[in-house]
Amino acid sequence: MVNINNIQKGFTVMDETRLDKIEIKELEVFANHGVYPEENVLGQKFVISATLFTRTRLAGLTDELSASINYGEVSHMITDFTRKHTYKLLESLAENLAEMLLCSLSGLEKITLKIEKPWAPVGLPLKTVSVEITRKWHTAYIAFGSNMGDKKMYIDNGIRGLAETKGCRIEAISDYLITEPYGVTEQDEFLNGVLKMRTLLTPGELLVRLHQLEQEANRERIIHWGPRTLDLDILFYDQEIIDMPDLHIPHIDLHNRDFVLVPMNQIAPYLRHPVLNQTISQLLDSLLNKSENTAKKSEQ
């Protein structure tokens, strides 16, 4: 007999981009959504299609429904959610429905939702209007640090706040490392580390949330690289490359920071930097070799 647990272990190293699809097409739901008051009172028909991106290999090998996503249950979830909530915009219905399904269904990595409104009251003959969105789980790595007051408390509270954020899941946390200050050296030593998370937030939304958590720790931005109660930085977000005035991903200086690379090497040694095209382990080795050569030269 096939051992499901043994097969499942093999899937932990599987390429995350190789996803299969389960489709639900044109599910009809009578519900109350619309800008006009009468739409929310009288109700109307909506037609919803969903493409669920997951991995069906295990279900195919074992013939076990528990190893897949039950499209019957999903159809009922879509129907119940659409009936129980009322939104003015199809965009809002689609966004909230996608979030609910992604947060509720184990194994669902990505979803495309199309919501049609066949009898939209626009005063013109048309067949239907629709909104289609695609949403997915993203993987992000966050650096955390503190060198003021109760450092561990500030970090613990920040991580807890991030874990409790809607659409965020913490998957791994490195050890807390005591490190020397970087940049401005005349300050107390730091407690540093990194974490791996899954999130539905965009990079910009994630940055805003991190700043909120810093503010809750009474973070003051007075001196660049100066003392701080809590510092939270996005290191990686999937394999995206972002260069904006207030956001650089991957973090622009992470390859020069041992207090980032050492904890990153604990939880993601084989993660590849999308710009430098080296793994975390390789970047750490290069930095340590560079530091060693610099130390030898200074002794000469």
Side-chain angles (χ1 to χ4, degrees):
M1 173 172 278
V2 178
N3 189 310
I4 296 178
N5 292 329
N6 288 340
I7 294 176
Q8 187 67 60
K9 290 177 183 177
F11 278 77
T12 60
V13 295
M14 183 177 176
D15 183 355
E16 292 187 3
T17 64
R18 299 166 71 177
L19 297 174
D20 305 309
K21 295 190 293 185
I22 297 174
E23 292 188 319
I24 298 170
K25 292 187 176 181
E26 298 181 357
L27 174 66
E28 295 186 7
V29 182
F30 193 88
N32 303 75
H33 304 281
V35 173
Y36 300 108
E38 58 269 23
E39 293 181 283
N40 297 332
V41 174
L42 299 176
Q44 58 195 298
K45 184 174 76 172
F46 296 85
V47 181
I48 302 175
S49 298
T51 302
L52 313 173
F53 294 83
T54 185
R55 299 184 182 92
T56 64
R57 175 71 171 171
L58 183 59
L61 292 174
T62 63
D63 202 26
E64 293 287 344
L65 180 57
S66 60
S68 186
I69 295 175
N70 186 330
Y71 54 78
E73 290 183 359
V74 176
S75 297
H76 283 284
M77 291 171 70
I78 292 172
T79 300
D80 292 344
F81 186 92
T82 305
R83 286 176 176 172
K84 290 178 180 178
H85 296 80
T86 298
Y87 299 101
K88 293 180 181 178
L89 303 178
L90 290 181
E91 292 90 336
S92 294
L93 172 58
E95 196 72 51
N96 286 278
L97 179 56
E99 181 180 72
M100 183 276 291
L101 292 171
L102 284 164
C103 290
S104 301
L105 296 172
S106 176
L108 181 60
E109 293 290 329
K110 176 180 171 182
I111 186 168
T112 295
L113 277 177
K114 182 178 182 180
I115 303 180
E116 298 178 85
K117 194 174 185 179
W119 304 312
V122 298
L124 294 169
L126 57 78
K127 183 177 181 180
T128 188
V129 295
S130 66
V131 168
E132 182 173 324
I133 67 170
T134 297
R135 298 291 181 265
K136 61 175 285 189
W137 285 105
H138 302 274
T139 299
Y141 291 86
I142 309 297
F144 54 79
S146 174
N147 76 330
M148 293 179 66
D150 190 335
K151 304 169 189 176
K152 185 176 184 301
M153 179 199 71
Y154 283 124
I155 292 173
D156 288 346
N157 288 344
I159 294 175
R160 186 180 303 109
L162 191 57
E164 293 173 352
T165 301
K166 193 175 183 181
C168 291
R169 296 173 177 171
I170 307 298
E171 290 199 333
I173 304 174
S174 74
D175 293 338
Y176 292 11
L177 307 178
I178 298 174
T179 64
E180 295 299 317
Y182 182 85
V184 179
T185 58
E186 294 181 0
Q187 55 181 309
D188 194 13
E189 60 190 10
F190 274 81
L191 204 58
N192 282 114
V194 300
L195 63 84
K196 177 185 178 182
M197 65 180 296
R198 300 271 276 164
T199 183
L200 299 178
L201 301 179
T202 67
E205 291 167 346
L206 181 57
L207 180 64
V208 169
R209 181 56 181 145
L210 296 182
H211 286 172
Q212 289 173 344
L213 292 170
E214 289 176 340
Q215 291 172 2
E216 290 174 11
N218 298 315
R219 163 77 182 268
E220 293 183 345
R221 298 177 184 273
I222 299 174
I223 303 173
H224 185 51
W225 287 336
R228 66 214 74 169
T229 57
L230 182 63
D231 191 25
L232 297 169
D233 291 318
I234 304 173
L235 301 174
F236 297 97
Y237 183 95
D238 292 337
Q239 284 290 291
E240 290 196 22
I241 300 171
I242 300 173
D243 284 305
M244 300 174 64
D246 59 346
L247 181 60
H248 298 279
I249 299 176
H251 191 284
I252 202 165
D253 197 39
L254 72 86
H255 58 288
N256 292 318
R257 302 183 176 191
D258 58 354
F259 60 88
V260 170
L261 292 178
V262 170
M264 273 294 298
N265 196 52
Q266 282 187 355
I267 64 174
Y270 303 113
L271 179 70
R272 188 168 294 275
H273 194 296
V275 176
L276 302 177
N277 196 30
Q278 288 184 293
T279 66
I280 293 298
S281 180
Q282 290 171 329
L283 291 174
L284 179 57
D285 286 343
S286 296
L287 182 60
L288 293 177
N289 290 334
K290 181 180 177 182
S291 300
E292 184 178 340
N293 292 334
T294 301
K296 287 181 180 179
K297 288 181 180 179
S298 64
E299 292 175 356
Q300 294 174 351

